Amino acid sequence: MWARKFVGSILGFRAPVVAPRLSALAPITQQTRNLGNLQPRRRKYKKAQKGRVPVRVGNSTKGNYMAFGDYGIRVKDGLRLSANTIGAIHSMLRRQLKAIKGLQIWLRVFPDIPVTTKGTEVRMGKGKGAFDYWACRVPKDKIIFEMSGPSLNLELAKSAMRQAGFKLGVPTEFVVADETTRQPKKKDLPKTCIPFQHAK
């Protein structure tokens, strides 16, 4: 009888939980991403359906106005941008304007859609293809790049954005920040006003 009680006390013993010291924890480092490796940190599903570039039929103006810089580039047709194209445009802008001190470039789109591909002359079936690259769907009239700098003038910005438009493959428009291209405040808009006129 006493042996049972002894064994039961040993099996029922639990070691006290000791909280780790703060000095023993690993230091928390902040992850920084460069434009050479544009991809989301986490995604619920590793593959996605192809989808379509959104066509705004409800007078939505999200992303159509300048928000940060003094100059921008707007696409006049919907397209799907790959992460490599975005990185190439950013590198080209930095190279064209490397003489500008304090240059700032803002990216208004982010590639978060996985695109898969299958090899050529592959028979149908056998599942979806393997992951190839990240992309983003850009609707019509959306601003994708903005930039500003203390010594950046109109001619230099227009020339650089013109070179960026060649890499997009769709008609583009050079945008200068002013009262008409800035996002209007909600109180200044009538209830029945369309704040942005889409290109015909």
Side-chain angles (χ1 to χ4, degrees), residues 38-40 81-84 86 107 109-113 134-136:
L38 283 177
Q39 62 182 18
L81 269 179
S82 66
N84 291 337
I86 295 174
L107 176 62
V109 293
F110 187 81
D112 58 347
I113 300 167
W134 294 97
C136 60

Side-chain angles (χ1 to χ4, degrees), residues 174-190:
F174 179 69
V175 183
V176 181
D178 55 18
E179 294 182 358
T180 60
T181 57
R182 292 281 186 190
Q183 177 71 42
K185 295 183 178 179
K186 208 168 187 179
K187 63 179 182 179
D188 299 335
L189 291 175

